[in-house]
Amino acid sequence: MPIYRAPVEDFRFLLHDVLELDKQRDLPGFADLSPDLVDDILSNAGKFCEEVLQPLNQSGDEEGCRFENGTVSTPKGFRRAYKAYCEAGWSGLGAPESVGGAGMPPILTMAVHEMGMSANQSLAMYPMLTAGAYGALLATGPDWMKQHIAPRMVSGEWAGTMALTEPGCGTDLKLMKTRAVEQPDGTYKMNGTKIFISGGDQDLTSNIIHMVIAKIPDENGQIHDDLSTVNFFMVPKFIVKEDGGVTVRNGVNTGGIEHKMGIKGQATCVLNFDDAIAWRLGPKPTPRSTPLGPGEKRSSSAGMAGMFGMMNAARLGVGIQGIGLGEVAYQNGYAYAHERRVGRALTGPMEPEKPADLEIVHPDVKRMLLQARASTEGLRALAAWTTLNISISRSSRPEAETAGLLEDLMTPVIKSFGTDMGFEAAN
Ligand SMILES: Cc1cc2nc3c(=O)[nH]c(=O)nc-3n(C[C@H](O)[C@H](O)[C@H](O)COP(=O)(O)OP(=O)(O)OC[C@H]3O[C@@H](n4cnc5c(N)ncnc54)[C@H](O)[C@@H]3O)c2cc1C
């Protein structure tokens, strides 16, 4: 039976002794962050992950999500665990207090996120995507969305997704075909297909807020091959009015669940947008015919900026997924090497009365376990230091600008190295 013990002591050492959080109280969100509060958050999150999320990991993967009659069901136990997660306040840990969150800085949300990924990646991804989506909505949405939609995502009543990838494009987004056309009332009608959308549908929440990128026609009705007419949209599964009232089902339909090798309790979906009502986020695009000044970008790229804000959080989140998977793989490898008997130690039998020695006596097994542990601990420290730099970049400290550059530099490094090393540890 797979095991997981949240590395609370490792996190305490990192946050208190290495990064000295108590000396960072001037940073945004750190003022009330006493060592006791940090310890409480770490130990309660660890306990929740060990006791509520992890026991559903294997059964959730074996059962997987089901797609029947156009709707998705998550595995047994997921609904109860998700509700408990939200009721405990984990869904809004990093959200501003103004929308019902706890206002904790990214260094703490990162720690809780890693533990969730180790314990049950399928389940923990639903609120992770929602946090990315409400972050983007708060950064780019109008006041009525901040007032009526964001708080319901922060509480976990509603979930969010990030819908970029299409059948014809993943990395190269300028090839996207999804398009949205403005309506007389200022909303847009969206048509197209998105694939591989994490949490694209589920039975955990009563509504899903899709954050979608799509092309709009220019002032001559032309769709262009480049990114210049790409915009960022909010597309709810059930339509939300400006007063917060929820009306009818929108034209967003689930085409199916993608077939994956793992994380089968996570519904990675095909989404079809058929005349879906969409709200464009960010400033109105500048007509393409308007000449640009030196270094100036068209305002439609504000859509891309909103999307990249969400993507960067997701990139860091994916790197931390890798670290969390490296941790849990190491723990299970370590436990297995201490119960499995294989051959004899090179220096002669360690337990001659037994038919074979424990696997851990073999130098190469020790090397692999040490490598997994060292890379996980090192990457965790790098990710924590990067999230601290995110907070510094948003502060009035003189080094704020440099911290922002470090965040830009380290985010893709953590994404790729974190996942590579997590894969290596699990291998
Ligand atoms: C489990 C899972 C969940 C996902 N969730 C979401 C989601 O929630 N929302 C969403 O929008 N998408 C999601 N995706 C899709 C994912 O983001 C895409 O897979 C990704 O954008 C890559 O696109 P692609 O798979 O089409 O690969 P392609 O773009 O076809 O690329 C194929 C390969 O070429 C490499 N490559 C491409 N360009 C270059 C280059 N210039 N130099 C070197 N190598 C290059 C790529 O790294 C890749 O290995 C998910 C995917 C998975 C597997």
Side-chain angles (χ1 to χ4, degrees):
M1 201 58 182
I3 51 148
Y4 176 60
R5 290 284 161 267
V8 172
E9 282 311 309
D10 287 357
F11 272 116
R12 291 187 67 236
F13 172 69
L14 185 57
L15 302 192
H16 296 315
D17 301 307
V18 180
L19 298 172
E20 302 185 298
L21 285 207
D22 206 25
K23 293 186 182 160
Q24 319 281 354
R25 299 282 195 105
D26 60 306
L27 296 178
F30 283 66
D32 299 327
L33 211 54
S34 66
D36 284 351
L37 178 59
V38 171
D39 287 353
D40 266 4
I41 293 173
L42 293 174
S43 56
N44 284 323
K47 192 166 174 322
F48 186 89
C49 290
E50 289 172 7
E51 294 178 0
V52 181
L53 298 188
Q54 198 273 344
L56 295 171
N57 191 29
Q58 192 169 1
S59 59
D61 205 52
E62 281 164 3
E63 184 186 334
C65 289
R66 289 176 312 285
F67 178 65
E68 282 161 353
N69 303 323
T71 60
V72 172
S73 319
T74 54
K76 193 162 165 255
F78 271 37
R79 282 168 65 95
R80 195 163 25 89
Y82 175 78
K83 193 164 177 277
Y85 183 95
C86 299
E87 281 172 359
W90 300 119
S91 57
L93 188 67
E97 288 170 89
S98 58
V99 286
M104 288 296 139
I107 198 159
L108 274 175
T109 53
M110 174 222 100
V112 175
H113 173 58
E114 187 209 295
M115 294 186 214
M117 289 300 150
S118 294
N120 190 330
Q121 184 185 2
S122 289
L123 214 166
M125 275 177 73
Y126 294 103
M128 177 197 112
L129 268 300
T130 303
Y134 68 61
L137 200 66
L138 289 170
T140 59
D143 285 348
W144 72 268
M145 291 185 197
K146 292 179 190 165
Q147 192 185 344
H148 296 300
I149 297 182
R152 298 171 91 165
M153 298 170 81
V154 168
S155 70
E157 181 190 349
W158 293 353
T161 74
M162 190 173 103
L164 287 66
T165 307
E166 298 188 6
C169 75
T171 314
D172 194 356
L173 288 172
K174 71 176 181 303
L175 301 173
M176 84 178 65
K177 295 264 183 274
T178 300
R179 52 204 57 194
V181 177
E182 192 168 11
Q183 304 300 298
D185 66 358
T187 63
Y188 285 72
K189 265 194 186 160
M190 183 177 285
N191 285 281
T193 297
K194 299 282 178 183
I195 62 169
F196 271 103
I197 306 308
S198 299
D201 197 11
Q202 32 78 3
D203 57 359
L204 308 173
T205 63
S206 58
N207 203 358
I208 305 177
I209 305 299
H210 302 290
M211 307 299 282
V212 188
I213 53 171
K215 288 182 177 177
I216 60 171
D218 71 5
E219 64 272 28
N220 301 316
Q222 298 291 308
I223 297 277
H224 293 270
D225 292 339
D226 56 19
L227 290 170
S228 66
T229 59
V230 172
N231 275 257
F232 191 38
F233 295 87
M234 189 283 291
V235 189
K237 176 175 171 181
F238 288 92
I239 291 178
V240 188
K241 291 193 302 183
E242 294 199 10
D243 63 2
V246 180
T247 61
V248 293
R249 180 77 197 247
N250 201 358
V252 192
N253 297 299
T254 310
I257 300 176
E258 306 281 4
H259 299 284
K260 309 196 296 295
M261 291 169 70
I263 47 170
K264 293 186 176 174
Q266 164 58 224
T268 317
C269 294
V270 175
L271 292 181
N272 296 315
F273 296 81
D274 302 312
D275 278 347
I277 312 269
W279 279 260
R280 206 182 54 75
L281 304 170
K284 195 95 178 144
T286 318
R288 273 178 68 93
S289 50
T290 312
L292 292 179
E296 199 186 337
K297 288 185 180 162
R298 296 199 184 281
S299 64
S300 62
S301 65
M304 289 304 286
M307 190 278 291
F308 272 117
M310 187 167 71
M311 272 283 284
N312 278 342
R315 285 155 106 194
L316 205 51
V318 168
I320 292 166
Q321 282 179 16
I323 299 168
L325 294 176
E327 171 69 38
V328 72
Y330 163 74
Q331 289 189 18
N332 283 274
Y334 181 90
Y336 189 72
H338 284 80
E339 65 187 38
R340 175 80 169 169
R341 293 188 178 275
V342 188
R344 289 294 184 189
L346 292 175
T347 49
M350 300 289 281
E351 293 178 273
E353 73 288 4
K354 304 274 184 189
D357 287 335
L358 290 171
E359 200 183 64
I360 192 69
V361 302
H362 301 296
D364 201 43
V365 171
K366 284 187 190 160
R367 179 193 62 78
M368 287 187 282
L369 285 170
L370 276 172
Q371 186 167 329
R373 181 166 181 175
S375 61
T376 300
E377 287 188 4
L379 274 157
R380 178 183 294 130
L382 187 67
W385 174 78
T386 302
T387 51
L388 185 62
N389 273 290
I390 295 177
S391 295
I392 296 172
S393 75
R394 294 171 190 165
S395 74
S396 52
R397 286 193 191 174
E399 68 269 30
E401 194 184 338
T402 311
L405 294 172
L406 284 170
E407 175 194 348
D408 292 347
L409 178 70
M410 295 316 297
T411 297
V413 172
I414 290 168
K415 184 189 175 190
S416 55
F417 198 41
T419 46
D420 279 356
M421 289 296 108
F423 179 77
E424 202 54 47
N427 204 18

